[in-house]
């Protein structure tokens, strides 16, 4: 058990600190040999590595997650007491479950719409995380009730969700939190929606009444890749809430700036998790023939991360330089200061970063994506096509309607 725990910690470092998804998958596979209970995590890590590297077709990745969904240890303890319809006129009770109620994609991309939703419904936050920052304070201010449930297993979490008597439950974690997903899979709420966190592709589960996207992120041609009914938000499936240290982004969200007309010739930047820099990304960069390549991410401070990138980027590393901001304010300043064309990664595209680059008025180089591609493959080009990111009230109203069915 001690060795398995050490291997799990190493895998976490390999993925989240060093940006090496394949190494993390191999480490978890080794751990699972000594502890069969880790088999699901090992299989999940292998799928994530395939997703980042593009070693399997999107349809096969989706099928892999659907098969993995069948292995979830879904609690089966009966449906609990009958849940009668709520009294007429009662405020809806909507639960939200995540480990990322903080300055994260969940924070930046949901806060605005949830503020609007909180005016019409009682929001109950099931917090699986521990990070305290400005965004967590904002979420706390919206909560009718806040439930800390970081270490709970699926069965205990399911009982907690059932006891809350929820009209709707919005999952903001997906496969980033298998224990929570297993609890949600047992359908503890009257209606259930999947939104944001872990929103790369379908969960493979049929416990959801909707997968919240938009027509750019999930075109009708891709609906067959999703086990959930796809719900299309009118103006985009997310909005953007700027952090207090970036007021210019708040103004830009309401009136998108024009992209930089002529970024420096031959200068390109990659600003994603190094795990997303696949051989597909390398080939796209080679065609651009950069004279200078700027790699922006705090993980680049690790020599092992740079060596892994050299195996993928080859001679491109000869013109590479590294920027390693230590926090989000420094990261935004670094992006604002760069005179470069920002290259989307493939097959796993930029998400939140694509939005922030648009709000900074930066030029994005996005390869066209198929209308049958997975959602995570379309993030960058889809956000590039968005007309606004301040439609908080409209999205909040749609969340309420979808929650009530």
């Amino acid at each position: 058990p001690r060795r398995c725990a050490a291997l799990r910690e190493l895998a976490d470092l390999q993925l989240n600190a060093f940006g090496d998804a394949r190494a993390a998958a191999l480490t978890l596979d080794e751990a699972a040999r000594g502890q069969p209970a880790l088999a699901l995590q090992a299989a999940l890590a292998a799928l994530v590595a395939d997703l980042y590297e593009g070693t399997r077709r999107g349809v096969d990745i989706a099928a892999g997650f659907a098969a993995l969904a069948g292995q979830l240890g879904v609690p089966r303890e009966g449906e609990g007491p009958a849940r009668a319809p709520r009294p007429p006129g009662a405020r809806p009770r909507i639960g939200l479950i995540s480990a990322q109620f903080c300055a994260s994609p969940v924070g930046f991309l949901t806060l605005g719409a949830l503020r609007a939703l909180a005016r019409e419904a009682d929001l109950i936050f099931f917090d699986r995380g521990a990070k305290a920052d400005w965004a967590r304070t904002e979420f706390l201010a919206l909560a009718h009730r806040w439930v800390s449930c970081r270490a709970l297993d699926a069965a205990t979490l399911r009982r907690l969700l059932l006891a809350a008597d929820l009209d709707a439950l919005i999952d903001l974690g997906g496969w980033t939190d298998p224990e929570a997903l297993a609890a949600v899979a047992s359908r503890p709420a009257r209606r259930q929606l999947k939104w944001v966190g872990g929103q790369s592709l379908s969960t493979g589960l049929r416990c959801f009444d909707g997968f919240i996207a938009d027509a750019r992120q999930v075109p009708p041609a891709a609906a067959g890749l999703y086990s959930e009914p796809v719900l299309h938000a009118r103006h985009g499936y997310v909005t953007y809430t700027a952090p207090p240290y970036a007021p210019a982004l708040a103004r830009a969200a309401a009136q998108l700036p024009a992209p930089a007309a002529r970024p420096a010739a031959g200068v390109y930047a990659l600003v994603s998790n190094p795990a997303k820099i696949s051989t597909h990304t390398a080939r796209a960069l080679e065609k651009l023939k950069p004279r200078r390549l700027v790699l922006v991410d705090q993980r680049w401070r690790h020599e092992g991360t740079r060596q892994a990138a050299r195996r993928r980027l080859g001679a491109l590393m000869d013109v590479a330089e590294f920027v390693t901001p230590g926090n989000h304010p420094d990261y935004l300043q670094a992006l604002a200061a760069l005179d470069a064309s920002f290259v989307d990664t493939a097959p796993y595209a930029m998400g939140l970063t694509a939005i922030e680059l648009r709000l900074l008025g930066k030029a994005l180089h996005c390869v066209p994506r198929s209308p049958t591609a997975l959602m995570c493959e379309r993030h960058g080009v889809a956000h590039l096509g968005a007309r606004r990111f301040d439609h908080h009230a409209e999205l909040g109203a749609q969340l309420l309607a979808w929650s009530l069915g």
Side-chain angles (χ1 to χ4, degrees):
R2 187 175 299 175
R3 181 174 180 274
C4 288
L7 288 171
R8 291 177 68 180
E9 290 180 14
L10 175 59
D12 182 68
L13 284 172
Q14 288 167 325
L15 178 61
N16 297 308
F18 305 149
D20 193 334
R22 184 60 62 187
L26 292 172
T27 299
L28 278 173
D29 184 64
E30 183 180 349
R33 294 173 200 167
Q35 192 171 339
L38 295 178
L40 184 137
Q41 290 187 35
L44 174 59
L47 275 173
V48 170
D50 288 337
L51 188 59
Y52 282 168
E53 296 173 356
T55 50
R56 295 171 64 182
R57 297 182 307 156
V59 65
D60 295 329
I61 292 286
F65 274 93
L68 199 63
Q71 300 177 36
L72 274 177
V74 180
R76 301 186 183 281
E77 303 172 9
E79 290 301 317
R83 290 170 289 174
R86 298 191 62 74
R91 279 172 62 87
R93 295 167 61 86
I94 299 176
L96 302 118
I97 185 165
S98 175
Q100 298 294 319
F101 292 126
C102 58
S104 65
V106 168
F108 291 110
L109 303 180
T110 71
L111 259 173
L114 291 181
R115 286 193 186 115
L117 183 61
R119 291 192 283 269
E120 306 296 333
D122 291 341
L123 303 187
I124 302 176
F125 288 79
F126 294 87
D127 179 25
R128 301 276 289 167
K131 185 178 179 182
D133 57 22
W134 67 270
R136 182 185 177 88
T137 302
E138 295 289 332
F139 281 121
L140 280 164
L142 300 180
H144 174 76
R145 183 175 155 214
W146 189 274
V147 182
S148 296
C149 51
R150 180 184 181 191
L152 297 186
D153 61 19
T156 307
L157 186 56
R158 176 186 182 276
R159 290 193 290 271
L160 197 64
L161 293 167
L162 269 173
D165 191 28
L166 300 171
D167 293 298
L169 174 62
I170 303 177
D171 179 87
L172 300 170
W175 280 102
T176 64
D177 187 348
E179 286 282 355
L181 195 60
V184 173
S186 68
R187 202 169 173 84
R190 293 177 178 84
R191 285 182 61 79
Q192 299 189 163
L193 303 170
K194 179 71 201 77
W195 186 38
V196 192
Q199 195 88 339
S200 303
L201 72 169
S202 173
T203 61
L205 293 166
R206 300 190 179 278
C207 62
F208 290 102
D209 299 286
F211 181 98
I212 300 172
D214 57 55
R216 292 183 308 277
Q217 298 282 349
V218 182
L225 294 174
Y226 295 80
S227 60
E228 312 89 344
V230 177
L231 304 176
H232 283 160
R234 286 186 293 272
H235 299 298
Y237 85 110
V238 295
T239 61
Y240 182 82
T241 298
Y245 45 79
L249 294 188
R251 294 190 294 271
Q255 186 173 0
L256 293 176
R262 290 185 179 179
V267 180
Y268 295 93
L270 285 172
V271 294
S272 296
N273 181 336
K276 296 182 181 180
I277 302 175
S278 67
T279 53
H280 300 272
T281 306
R283 285 197 293 267
L285 277 169
E286 287 167 355
K287 293 178 181 178
L288 296 173
K289 301 185 185 318
R291 62 176 177 82
R292 180 183 171 212
L293 177 61
V294 185
L295 303 174
V296 184
D297 193 277
Q298 62 177 333
R299 299 170 185 86
W300 292 118
R301 70 183 187 272
H302 302 294
E303 182 58 31
T305 306
R306 300 186 187 194
Q307 291 302 321
R310 180 168 289 280
R311 291 192 291 273
R312 282 169 271 171
L313 294 175
L316 288 167
M317 292 292 281
D318 295 339
V319 296
E321 56 190 79
F322 303 95
V323 178
T324 57
N327 53 46
H328 192 243
D330 290 346
Y331 176 74
L332 292 177
Q333 289 181 11
L335 299 188
L338 268 176
D339 184 13
S341 293
F342 292 80
V343 180
D344 198 6
T345 46
Y348 201 117
M350 293 187 291
L352 172 63
T353 299
I355 294 176
E356 291 177 331
L357 288 170
R358 279 207 69 190
L359 299 182
L360 290 168
K362 297 298 180 177
L364 274 68
H365 180 84
C366 293
V367 176
R369 305 297 169 95
S370 164
T372 58
L374 297 172
M375 185 171 181
C376 60
E377 298 178 72
R378 297 184 55 83
H379 277 325
V381 68
H383 288 317
L384 190 59
R387 295 184 178 180
R388 56 190 298 191
F389 291 106
D390 68 333
H391 53 289
H392 311 295
E394 294 95 327
L395 185 53
Q398 286 191 282
L399 290 173
L400 180 63
W402 287 328
S403 295
L404 299 181

